[in-house]
Amino acid sequence: MNVKPIPTLDPRINEIRALTAKIVNQDILPNEKKMWAGYREGGTDEERRNSRELRESVKAKVKQAGLWAPHLPPEYGGSGLGFLEHAYMNEVLAYSMGAAALFGVVAPNSGNQSILLKYGTEEQKRKWLVPLTEGKMESGFSMTEPDSAGSDPRSIKTTAVRDGDQWVINGHKWFTSNGFRADFFIVMCRTGGSGADNGRMTQIIVPKNTPGLRIVRGVEVWGHKSDHCEIVYDDVRVPLSNQLGQTGTGHQAAQDRLGAGRVYHCMNSIGQMWRAFNLMVERATMREVHGGKLETKQFIQGFIADSYIDIQAARLMTIHCAEKMDGGGDPRTDISAIKVFVPAAFERVVDRAIQVWGAAGVSGDLPLAGMYQGARTLRLADGPDEVHRILIAKNILSRYHNGESWDFGN
């Protein structure tokens, strides 16, 4: 990965990019196959042990470089990076799929950590946040429901009813991330009102071993086993002290989580696009076909040009959005715009790389197949494209109805 200083950036951001690239290039990319060998079907105990030791050695270097858990302050075990520093870091570390976990940034733990940091009490932070950061616990985020539209969080049906000093939770969730490994879940519950009222939702911490919590199954994703779990909450009782924030702040907490998360996801996507682009160009300059290198074919030259355009457009849109968020502007339209554009551009870039590599592109020898599945999934995660397009149009039309036109410079 070729990472050089960007003259217009703060020196600290350039330093973070360089430190991240050094670890990715020297310690992760040469060991990608070994790093995750223990996760493959049929992996031996020795492979699992060796891959775990390899990952731990990389994590030690990350911590030594001051890059561990960039989204958390030092007092809770993180490196305390600013929003833009973290965003630019994500672009670099995502060049290798799975590298984020080696930097202490992995969903849903990182999102849950951010929510615990903002909404948790000091006792909750000590009990749940610190062990998460130290890797002693795992967590899940339980929001999506099979019988409620994921595009409309107001439709959530899972309820939490107060009974004395306890919340009693009843509901049916699925795609609860990290379900099998989690020690506890953060569960989005309706604590009053009906479907039109966002202000009656609350996030509640539920330990996995709580009576009444039943994991039905891991939901297959792209035909493969996953730990995105379907869970039934049947009269699950937890103390009122497990509530995060004030009653009714659950929807806002989810938006806080998703807003920054969408920027991070887009920067991750750009890092993976970067890798796919490099692989595509490498193949084009080496592969002999029909009397010449692939790079001499106009179709392939078109692929290279179009992918360059897609990556640059996606990158600049995302950085503009991140800068607006960091500067205290109104980023809502920009967040929705990158959420629609970047995954689609990601999908196109990876698709072209697969086409250039041919059969090898869909094999397990390259990361392209996993990238393609991830890109397509992102068009559903954190809100489907259609919802974000509606939000973009509403925000723009509202400006015009107020007698203004749109200012694309701000």
Side-chain angles (χ1 to χ4, degrees):
M1 187 180 198
N2 184 19
V3 172
K4 295 179 180 177
I6 300 173
T8 55
L9 286 184
D10 182 281
R12 175 58 177 157
I13 296 179
N14 277 323
E15 180 186 13
I16 290 165
R17 293 176 78 247
L19 288 170
T20 304
K22 181 179 179 181
I23 293 173
V24 170
N25 283 330
Q26 294 184 3
D27 300 295
I28 298 178
L29 289 175
N31 297 301
E32 274 185 320
K33 292 291 185 182
K34 299 176 183 176
M35 197 82 67
W36 312 106
Y39 285 93
R40 290 198 297 267
E41 288 187 23
T44 65
D45 290 340
E46 183 178 2
E47 285 178 325
R48 280 188 282 273
R49 183 175 61 255
N50 290 340
S51 64
R52 183 169 56 252
E53 290 174 356
L54 195 54
R55 291 194 302 274
E56 291 304 316
S57 70
V58 174
K59 289 178 183 178
K61 292 182 179 180
V62 169
K63 291 175 182 177
Q64 186 176 10
L67 299 174
W68 179 258
H71 54 294
L72 296 175
E75 59 265 34
Y76 294 109
S79 53
L81 299 192
F83 179 66
L84 285 178
E85 293 169 343
H86 186 184
Y88 276 101
M89 176 185 174
N90 273 20
E91 175 188 30
V92 177
L93 66 85
Y95 191 83
S96 175
M97 291 183 68
L102 305 175
F103 285 75
V105 184
V106 58
N109 288 336
S110 53
N112 286 345
Q113 288 166 332
S114 296
I115 294 302
L116 283 161
L117 181 66
K118 182 171 183 177
Y119 291 90
T121 64
E122 282 305 313
E123 181 183 354
Q124 288 171 337
K125 290 172 185 176
R126 287 194 302 272
K127 186 174 181 178
W128 309 107
L129 174 58
V130 172
L132 266 186
T133 310
E134 294 175 344
K136 297 176 181 177
M137 297 183 78
E138 291 278 342
S139 66
F141 187 60
S142 197
M143 177 173 171
T144 307
E145 300 178 353
D147 300 322
S148 303
S151 60
D152 182 10
R154 295 171 300 181
S155 66
I156 284 176
K157 297 182 177 67
T158 297
T159 60
V161 177
R162 185 168 179 168
D163 182 19
D165 61 353
Q166 293 182 322
W167 284 113
V168 183
I169 301 172
N170 283 281
H172 186 188
K173 302 285 191 180
W174 75 337
F175 282 90
T176 290
S177 45
N178 210 29
F180 288 127
R181 291 195 297 269
D183 296 288
F184 69 92
F185 301 108
I186 293 179
V187 185
M188 180 74 94
C189 303
R190 181 166 294 286
T191 47
S194 59
D197 190 352
N198 284 335
R200 300 295 185 90
M201 287 187 284
T202 306
Q203 294 189 8
I204 300 173
I205 299 169
V206 180
K208 185 178 181 179
N209 60 1
T210 306
L213 188 159
R214 178 168 62 90
I215 295 180
V216 178
R217 59 175 177 140
V219 181
E220 286 191 355
V221 177
W222 292 104
H224 297 285
K225 293 179 180 178
S226 85
D227 64 356
H228 291 285
C229 289
E230 181 176 354
I231 299 178
V232 170
Y233 298 89
D234 185 8
D235 284 338
V236 172
R237 290 177 173 267
V238 296
L240 294 179
S241 59
N242 280 25
Q243 172 181 318
L244 280 165
Q246 297 296 315
T247 304
T249 59
H251 179 77
Q252 184 58 52
Q255 293 306 308
D256 291 343
R257 177 198 191 104
L258 293 173
R262 285 165 181 148
V263 171
Y264 295 148
H265 284 166
C266 285
M267 291 302 272
N268 286 340
S269 298
I270 292 158
Q272 291 187 34
M273 280 192 258
W274 193 343
R275 176 81 176 278
F277 183 80
N278 281 351
L279 285 169
M280 180 180 68
V281 175
E282 174 191 331
R283 181 71 161 183
T285 59
M286 296 175 62
R287 187 68 161 182
E288 293 273 355
V289 60
H290 299 299
K293 296 280 180 66
L294 276 175
E295 65 177 319
T296 65
K297 314 301 180 184
Q298 287 185 338
F299 273 123
I300 305 305
Q301 292 171 1
F303 281 3
I304 292 170
D306 288 343
S307 290
Y308 174 87
I309 292 167
D310 272 336
I311 295 170
Q312 285 286 45
R315 188 174 186 276
L316 293 174
M317 282 178 68
T318 304
I319 289 171
H320 174 71
C321 179
E323 288 176 344
K324 186 177 289 189
M325 291 179 70
D326 192 58
D330 181 359
R332 290 175 299 172
T333 305
D334 301 274
I335 289 173
S336 287
I338 63 172
K339 180 59 185 65
V340 171
F341 184 81
V342 176
F346 184 13
E347 194 176 335
R348 291 192 296 268
V349 169
V350 176
D351 184 73
R352 296 183 195 113
I354 289 172
Q355 199 70 11
V356 170
W357 275 90
V362 296
S363 74
D365 295 340
L366 296 169
L368 297 174
M371 288 181 185
Y372 189 82
Q373 291 174 343
R376 184 61 185 85
T377 302
L378 276 177
R379 291 180 55 202
L380 295 169
D382 296 349
D385 292 355
E386 293 74 18
V387 168
H388 288 286
R389 282 190 164 93
I390 291 169
L391 289 172
I392 293 168
K394 283 183 175 179
N395 291 342
I396 292 171
L397 289 169
S398 174
R399 186 76 60 87
Y400 279 80
H401 284 305
N402 287 334
E404 301 176 74
S405 61
W406 196 262
D407 179 1
F408 282 96
N410 289 295

